[in-house]
Amino acid sequence: MHRVQKAFIKLLVISALVLICLLLSQDRSDLVRKAIDLKASFHNLPLGGRRHGDEDTSIHLTESGLDLFMKEDDDLPTDDGRSEGEIGLVVDTSLAAAVSRKIRLACFITTREVHMETKLKAVNETWGRRCDKMLYVMTTNKTGPDILGLNITDHHDTLTEKIVQTFTHLYTTSLQHYDWFLKADDDSYVIVENLKFFLAHLNSSKPIYVGDHFVHFSPNGYNGGGAGYALSRAALRRLVEQGYRVPGRCRHAGGSEDIETGRCLYKVAVSTYLSVDRYNRSTFHAANPEAFLPGENNFLSGFSATKYNTLPECCSQLTISFHYVNYKLMRVLDMFLYRIAVFGRTVNYKKLKNLFKTREFQIPKERERAAYPGETLEEYYKNATEWRQRNTTIYIRKKAKHN
């Protein structure tokens, strides 16, 4: 009987221990669950840890990052805290990369061999490397995959000839490989990601031409060369096949390259699209950044088809380009745009979805303008077909003296 009692007591002790362990385990699970819930609620608080009633000011991210223009089957690259291969930059480039993959951009600049160690080096180490293809056009015997050497006298008056040969070269070698073709100068600075975002709103299979739209010298003006201008694949095809290859239709030499390119594109019915944003802030700028300071004399304001404003309303949040940027300023701009950030400020990309007015643009008739030599303003408001049929190779600038 004594043995039975001892066994019974042992059974009670073991049962009690098991019950205590179960109770402790349950309490611990509750504590862990409560801790997890507390942590989650902390991370869901807006910055500063304050709640704002019904107002939602918190930062919302999905596991894949921002989903602007993304589809469920889009591949987003992983980002381990590096940007463009540089250690120490905490930047998420997945959205820019996703848009970039959809827009294939070939860029070229006209330059001179003497600038290879200054201007060209600055372009190549800043914005130029963000193009899908970069081509440096110059009079040179040097060769390379990114150099187009031309046997043309190196002078401003020969730029039209260089541009005609370059666009023809791109038509022959690269038409099917790229969606858009950007011409810029060696003192242009281009924010390629913003350009690609803007171009993503347009259809490269349609004949489209965008840039800083000037009002003079043709029925619908032209885009200034210094700010850079972009042609769709369809526009490049028309420029060469219906423009350059038709005798007398377009200038092959002389004049100013941007004017002659704009006139030729109008001849072949390529549409100029508006490049300002929904707030009428400009994106392409044929002037340098300082020209938009209050009180500065921006001589290009008399050329632009849209009103140039001064800071802070001058420029779109997604500005694309500036001109007259020397190679030192080019590196400074690149540093501020790609290596420096303001803590706590993030861009609401969803609200930028409708930032641009992507539509064909015609110069308002009330805009003061100038006619091309040998033409009158009245001709610009008549039947476009009649103007396009004219031989416009009428203005030859006097030959420059070369030493």
Side-chain angles (χ1 to χ4, degrees):
M1 187 70 181
H2 181 66
R3 289 181 180 179
V4 174
Q5 288 178 339
K6 288 180 74 175
F8 181 72
I9 291 171
K10 284 182 179 181
L11 182 61
L12 286 175
V13 171
I14 292 171
S15 299
L17 288 173
V18 170
L19 181 60
I20 291 171
C21 289
L22 287 171
L23 290 172
L24 288 174
S25 175
Q26 182 66 32
D27 289 343
R28 188 164 180 246
S29 297
D30 289 342
L31 286 172
V32 170
R33 190 179 299 110
K34 288 178 180 178
I36 292 172
D37 292 342
L38 180 61
K39 182 179 179 182
S41 62
F42 172 77
H43 284 292
N44 285 331
L45 283 173
L47 292 177
R50 296 177 291 109
R51 293 191 181 276
H52 301 275
D54 294 334
E55 183 184 359
D56 184 8
T57 59
S58 58
I59 300 172
H60 295 283
L61 297 174
T62 66
E63 290 183 0
S64 300
L66 295 168
D67 61 355
L68 179 64
F69 298 147
M70 301 297 157
K71 297 178 180 177
E72 291 181 1
D73 57 350
D74 274 339
D75 255 349
L76 286 179
T78 57
D79 197 303
D80 60 356
R82 301 184 184 187
S83 175
E84 299 178 347
E86 299 183 60
I87 299 174
L89 292 179
V90 185
V91 179
D92 180 4
T93 60
S94 57
L95 180 56
V99 173
S100 182
R101 286 196 301 273
K102 297 177 183 295
I103 305 295
R104 295 169 296 172
L105 176 69
C107 307
F108 75 90
I109 64 170
T110 52
T111 186
R112 300 174 66 186
E113 189 174 340
V114 69
H115 298 313
M116 290 188 73
E117 291 302 314
T118 52
K119 294 182 176 182
L120 269 67
K121 192 173 182 180
V123 170
N124 198 48
E125 293 177 357
T126 57
W127 69 267
R129 59 184 173 149
R130 300 178 186 115
C131 297
D132 298 300
K133 175 185 178 67
M134 190 68 197
L135 194 62
Y136 299 98
V137 181
M138 66 185 90
T139 300
T140 183
N141 293 322
K142 295 183 183 296
T143 59
D146 57 352
I147 294 176
L148 179 60
L150 301 177
N151 185 22
I152 300 174
T153 304
D154 214 355
H155 194 271
H156 186 271
D157 287 352
T158 63
L159 281 176
T160 298
E161 192 175 354
K162 288 182 179 180
I163 293 301
V164 170
Q165 290 197 22
T166 303
F167 275 133
T168 303
H169 169 80
L170 290 170
Y171 166 85
T172 303
T173 63
S174 306
L175 186 67
Q176 300 306 322
H177 302 299
Y178 301 96
D179 305 302
W180 293 87
F181 300 85
L182 174 76
K183 180 271 170 188
D185 286 352
D186 56 12
D187 59 349
S188 306
Y189 183 85
V190 181
I191 305 172
V192 175
E193 294 88 344
N194 291 356
L195 172 59
K196 284 195 169 189
F197 175 75
F198 172 72
L199 296 177
H201 294 71
L202 304 172
N203 187 345
S204 64
S205 65
K206 294 182 178 180
I208 297 173
Y209 165 54
V210 293
D212 193 355
H213 196 174
F214 289 174
V215 298
H216 305 308
F217 308 131
S218 88
N220 202 35
Y222 66 99
N223 286 321
Y229 54 80
L231 276 63
S232 66
R233 185 192 304 115
L236 178 59
R237 183 188 298 277
R238 283 199 187 188
L239 178 68
V240 175
E241 294 179 357
Q242 301 177 33
Y244 297 157
R245 290 181 178 176
V246 177
R249 176 164 286 179
C250 301
R251 293 283 296 276
H252 286 221
S256 297
E257 65 83 12
D258 48 3
I259 297 174
E260 301 306 331
T261 301
R263 287 169 63 84
C264 190
L265 287 168
Y266 189 81
K267 283 264 183 183
V268 298
V270 171
S271 300
T272 302
Y273 268 59
L274 194 65
S275 61
V276 297
D277 67 18
R278 63 186 299 182
Y279 306 106
N280 290 318
R281 296 169 181 164
S282 50
T283 56
F284 292 85
H285 304 94
N288 69 9
E290 292 181 4
F292 296 94
L293 292 172
E296 289 291 319
N297 181 22
N298 189 344
F299 75 97
L300 289 170
S301 60
F303 286 75
S304 182
T306 54
K307 183 183 177 183
Y308 271 170
N309 295 312
T310 58
L311 287 169
E313 297 300 318
C314 70
C315 313
S316 174
Q317 184 176 356
L318 294 185
T319 280
I320 292 170
S321 70
F322 288 102
H323 188 207
Y324 302 121
V325 177
N326 67 53
Y327 66 93
K328 293 181 180 179
L329 178 57
M330 196 172 292
R331 295 182 184 278
V332 172
L333 287 175
D334 210 68
M335 176 185 70
F336 275 97
L337 286 167
Y338 291 92
R339 298 192 62 87
I340 295 176
V342 179
F343 179 79
R345 288 176 62 90
T346 57
V347 177
N348 189 332
Y349 292 101
K350 289 183 182 292
K351 290 189 176 180
L352 293 178
K353 185 174 181 179
N354 298 314
L355 181 65
F356 294 114
K357 306 173 181 178
T358 52
R359 67 172 187 266
E360 190 172 352
F361 180 67
Q362 297 292 328
I363 297 172
K365 289 188 177 182
E366 63 273 11
R367 189 71 168 87
E368 187 177 343
R369 10 185 359 198
Y372 192 80
E375 295 178 349
T376 63
L377 289 177
E378 288 73 20
E379 295 178 62
Y380 295 166
Y381 300 112
K382 291 182 180 179
N383 189 304
T385 302
E386 181 183 337
W387 185 89
R388 285 173 174 141
Q389 289 174 347
R390 287 188 54 195
N391 183 329
T392 59
T393 58
I394 55 176
Y395 174 51
I396 304 294
R397 184 179 291 179
K398 290 182 180 179
K399 213 170 188 180
K401 293 181 180 180
H402 305 296
N403 297 325

